Amino acid sequence: MGATAFYVPERICWKFMDETIVVVDVATGAYYSLNETASLVWQAIAEGNGTEDAVCRILGEYEVEAPVLREHVSACVVDWLKEGLICDKGVARDEKEKDPG
Amino acid sequence: MPGLMLLASNNGSGRIAPERADLRQDMSRDTFASILEWIMREPPEEEPGICFVDPRWDDEFAWMAKRARDSSIKASVLTNTATNDALASAEQLKGLGVEWRIDVTRASRGQGFLEQLLPVLGNDALLVIELPAQQIAREWLADMICEYGLRRKLAVALHSALSGKHEHLSEKDYSAVAETVLELARFSSRFDISLEYGCGIPWCMFTSEQLGELWRLNSEFFSQCDSDLIVTHDGQISYCPLLCDFCTKTYADYPSYHKAKEWFERHLANYRLLGTTCECISCDLNSLGPCRGGCLGQALATAKNL
């Protein structure tokens, strides 16, 4: 979960709605309404700051054990990767290198 | 009325953002004729229209209005009647069935000039008022409509999308503006005048009771965000003045107006999910129909990763 490990692909747009974030996959019409903590994680990824940035902010605002929080953040990231809401820069780079075109 | 809004040959004094100097450039007669033919290639079921926004009242405008009429396309103007030439143009075009939508909120020449112009236009004129407005006496509006035989409708604009600026009504102002609309509808109904509404407002601005009352007053509210496509002097088309930077095409890229409109609707459909209020994304009225989540330009103005 490095500082710039993930990025938001072009087909995903998002916006703040008060304290939370809504995310829309404009290619499929799937949408997601994130809660406050997930919104912090999303914002960190989307702004290229990495998840640790969100972990620090959440630890500052909520009473939660750091290891537990990191576990939840990791699970969240895995879900978003599966849904295609975010992409792993390393994987994207590997695929680009394989592509002869 | 499906159609195009012409943002060319603009007199530069009205709603269009003054910095958009490109909108003052003229469209050639050939391009205009080609666009009319393009609209009629797949004639819509409803009468198609072309709306001239704050036009210069010159011979080119008169030629275009007549040419549209000859092509079975209804011409209309949206104007703040900024120059005296509007009066001469009204005389010249009388009988052509051009609809004049007159923005009384921004009528820069004042009520005196309107009182000269409106008798000439009669039933060709429809008054437009922007809310929340500076103080415009509703009694004066009703007097004008009744005395000069104008359309017994008042078009209520709640956004200024046409200016190309993001001057959106804030969600926190919804309830106050909704009550203002209700009061205007109640007042207008006494003169058999009904309200129609501009684009960009979600259903939830009004309560169910208010929607019911508007319906009973013959001023039923419809939530819209599907204005005519806009076209500029060089044939560039877009969905709305607020979406020019987001997505612009050339009319000739599509075999007909109908196909272009279909493409824009399809392309933009999923962006509508973002909506303008916190509830839009999970609201059935937005995802299934009739609301459309308010103004798409407003929804996208604060969206990221576009």
Side-chain angles (χ1 to χ4, degrees):
Chain A
M1 306 286 170
T4 56
F6 308 106
Y7 68 96
V8 180
E10 277 182 16
R11 64 169 205 293
I12 305 296
C13 61
W14 58 279
K15 71 188 290 187
F16 289 101
M17 285 290 185
D18 293 336
E19 300 294 307
T20 63
I21 282 174
V22 296
V23 179
V24 173
D25 183 336
V26 293
T28 65
Y31 63 86
Y32 308 81
S33 199
L34 309 183
N35 65 23
E36 282 185 34
T37 48
S39 294
L40 289 172
V41 179
W42 180 272
Q43 188 184 356
I45 290 173
E47 292 176 353
N49 297 326
T51 53
E52 197 53 31
D53 183 67
V55 167
C56 292
R57 284 189 62 186
I58 295 168
L59 286 173
E61 293 179 33
Y62 296 86
E63 281 188 24
V64 56
E65 296 293 327
V68 175
L69 174 61
R70 287 200 174 87
E71 204 172 297
H72 284 187
V73 169
S74 293
C76 197
V77 167
V78 168
D79 280 348
W80 291 345
L81 282 167
K82 279 184 191 162
E83 297 284 342
L85 300 182
I86 58 173
C87 296
D88 187 320
K89 281 185 177 173
V91 172
R93 191 168 51 243
D94 290 348
E95 283 173 359
K96 208 170 185 179
E97 282 165 5
K98 279 184 215 161
D99 183 2
Chain B
M1 185 169 68
L4 276 176
M5 204 172 265
L6 185 71
L7 300 187
S9 306
N10 190 271
N11 66 34
S13 66
R15 296 154 61 102
I16 301 292
E19 63 268 24
R20 292 284 310 266
D22 58 314
L23 302 184
R24 294 177 209 169
Q25 293 187 44
D26 292 332
M27 177 181 278
S28 73
R29 289 189 176 193
D30 283 349
T31 302
F32 186 75
S34 171
I35 284 173
L36 296 181
E37 191 272 328
W38 180 71
I39 293 172
M40 295 306 282
R41 211 171 285 162
E42 275 185 85
E45 286 176 15
E46 291 175 66
E47 183 184 28
I50 189 156
C51 179
F52 299 80
V53 181
D54 288 318
R56 287 196 297 271
W57 309 106
D58 55 14
D59 290 342
E60 281 306 290
F61 165 67
W63 181 86
M64 287 180 174
K66 286 175 186 159
R67 182 66 188 255
R69 194 269 322 258
D70 293 345
S71 303
S72 304
I73 294 172
K74 185 171 180 57
S76 60
V77 293
L78 178 59
T79 177
N80 66 352
T81 64
T83 65
N84 275 330
D85 302 345
L87 192 53
S89 204
E91 301 274 10
Q92 189 183 359
L93 296 175
K94 201 152 179 59
L96 280 185
V98 175
E99 180 182 81
W100 289 58
R101 299 177 79 89
I102 297 175
D103 185 344
V104 293
T105 315
R106 299 185 188 227
S108 52
R109 298 190 65 78
Q111 294 184 355
F113 181 70
L114 288 177
E115 287 168 13
Q116 283 181 275
L117 178 67
L118 294 176
V120 177
L121 294 173
N123 193 45
D124 287 339
L126 187 152
L127 302 185
V128 179
I129 181 171
E130 291 182 29
L131 292 180
Q134 300 108 355
Q135 291 305 309
I136 290 182
R138 56 191 187 180
E139 291 80 5
W140 180 80
L141 294 172
D143 279 353
M144 291 299 100
I145 292 171
C146 297
E147 186 173 345
Y148 299 129
L150 314 185
R151 299 269 170 89
R152 291 206 169 243
K153 274 190 179 295
L154 197 52
V156 178
L158 297 161
H159 269 297
S160 300
L162 201 56
S163 71
K165 296 175 184 170
H166 291 278
E167 300 170 327
H168 303 292
L169 189 63
S170 165
E171 192 179 349
K172 70 179 167 49
D173 297 324
Y174 278 1
S175 63
V177 174
E179 193 47 49
T180 305
V181 171
L182 253 295
E183 283 172 14
L184 187 61
R186 288 178 197 128
F187 175 81
S188 300
S189 72
R190 287 161 34 197
F191 302 91
D192 195 26
I193 296 166
S194 57
L195 306 188
E196 65 171 43
Y197 307 91
C199 57
I201 296 298
W203 280 88
C204 56
M205 187 172 102
F206 298 97
T207 64
S208 303
E209 290 74 21
Q210 288 173 326
L211 289 169
E213 186 176 354
L214 288 174
W215 179 77
R216 286 193 297 279
L217 293 167
N218 201 26
S219 291
E220 188 174 4
F221 175 76
F222 293 98
S223 176
Q224 307 174 66
C225 176
D226 56 355
S227 68
D228 297 341
L229 298 184
I230 63 167
V231 60
T232 52
H233 70 98
D234 52 359
Q236 299 288 304
I237 54 172
S238 185
Y239 193 74
C240 158
L242 292 176
L243 297 174
C244 287
D245 293 337
F246 178 64
C247 183
T248 295
K249 299 287 180 183
T250 301
Y251 84 96
D253 291 342
Y254 301 90
S256 65
Y257 170 87
H258 180 71
K259 291 284 189 298
K261 180 82 171 163
E262 269 185 357
W263 183 87
F264 275 102
E265 291 292 355
R266 219 173 30 249
H267 179 66
L268 297 173
N270 288 335
Y271 290 97
R272 291 189 184 282
L273 290 166
L274 289 167
T276 50
T277 74
C278 297
E279 290 75 29
C280 284
I281 198 157
S282 55
C283 177
D284 287 345
L285 289 176
N286 180 22
S287 56
L288 302 176
C291 181
R292 317 203 93 193
C295 171
L296 183 60
Q298 181 180 5
L300 296 188
T302 50
K304 315 277 186 184
N305 207 38
L306 293 176

